[in-house]
């Protein structure tokens, strides 16, 4: 079954670090582009990281808003993607979602979240308290 399963959301305090995991089932991140998105309370969904692989090379882009604190990695088998978050701030709170899309149909822009071309995980909640 093709799916993404997330874990790692938790209640954290300002300044804490968290690692979120996104495990792919039925495919690997070699064949798919992947992204991390988040949606804070009352906010629109925001893309915060994008990852793709081609010819053994990895391309990674992280939003300027978090690039100094967040980074993305995968396990050696490229079946699990991680979002490493450090120095958490209250504005980092929200629902974090990973997504994947077949790289052969990815045209450089993530389509509307409702697109059938995008596989979404259910999301994991991050709460940041003072």
């Amino acid at each position: 079954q093709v799916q993404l399963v997330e874990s790692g959301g938790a209640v954290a305090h300002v300044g804490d670090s968290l690692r979120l995991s996104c495990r792919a089932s039925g495919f690997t991140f070699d064949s798919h582009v992947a992204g991390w998105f988040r949606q804070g309370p009352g906010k629109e969904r925001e893309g915060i990281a994008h990852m793709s692989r081609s010819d053994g090379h990895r391309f990674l882009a992280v939003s300027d808003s978090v690039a100094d604190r967040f980074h993305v990695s995968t396990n050696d088998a490229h079946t699990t993607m991680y979002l490493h978050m450090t120095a958490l701030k209250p504005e980092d709170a929200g629902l974090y979602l990973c997504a994947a899309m077949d790289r052969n149909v990815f045209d450089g822009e993530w389509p509307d979240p409702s697109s059938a071309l995008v596989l979404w995980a259910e999301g994991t909640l991050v709460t940041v308290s003072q």
Side-chain angles (χ1 to χ4, degrees):
Q1 183 179 3
V2 176
Q3 63 178 353
L4 292 170
V5 179
E6 280 190 65
S7 61
V11 177
H13 293 91
V14 171
D16 282 355
S17 298
L18 279 179
R19 188 185 76 170
L20 307 183
S21 299
C22 174
R23 180 172 57 84
S25 180
F27 67 99
T28 75
F29 293 115
D30 288 329
S31 61
H32 284 61
V33 299
W36 283 101
F37 299 78
R38 70 181 180 186
Q39 188 162 10
K43 298 180 181 179
E44 293 187 355
R45 188 170 296 182
E46 171 192 15
I48 55 175
H50 169 91
M51 182 186 73
S52 61
R53 298 186 65 88
S54 178
D55 297 326
H57 299 286
R58 186 180 74 175
F59 171 79
L60 180 64
V62 181
S63 171
D64 288 344
S65 64
V66 298
D68 60 336
R69 300 182 294 116
F70 292 8
H71 74 274
V72 176
S73 67
T74 64
N75 64 347
D76 289 344
H78 306 148
T79 56
T80 302
M81 178 175 65
Y82 303 101
L83 179 66
H84 305 264
M85 305 187 294
T86 64
L88 285 168
K89 302 176 180 180
E91 55 263 40
D92 293 322
L95 183 68
Y96 282 73
L97 305 105
C98 65
M101 187 171 171
D102 188 320
R103 68 178 187 181
N104 292 318
V105 298
F106 184 77
D107 65 359
E109 295 284 340
W110 285 90
D112 185 88
S114 64
S115 170
L117 297 176
V118 183
L119 177 66
W120 290 96
E122 289 190 357
T124 190
L125 191 63
V126 173
T127 302
V128 182
S129 61
Q130 295 289 347

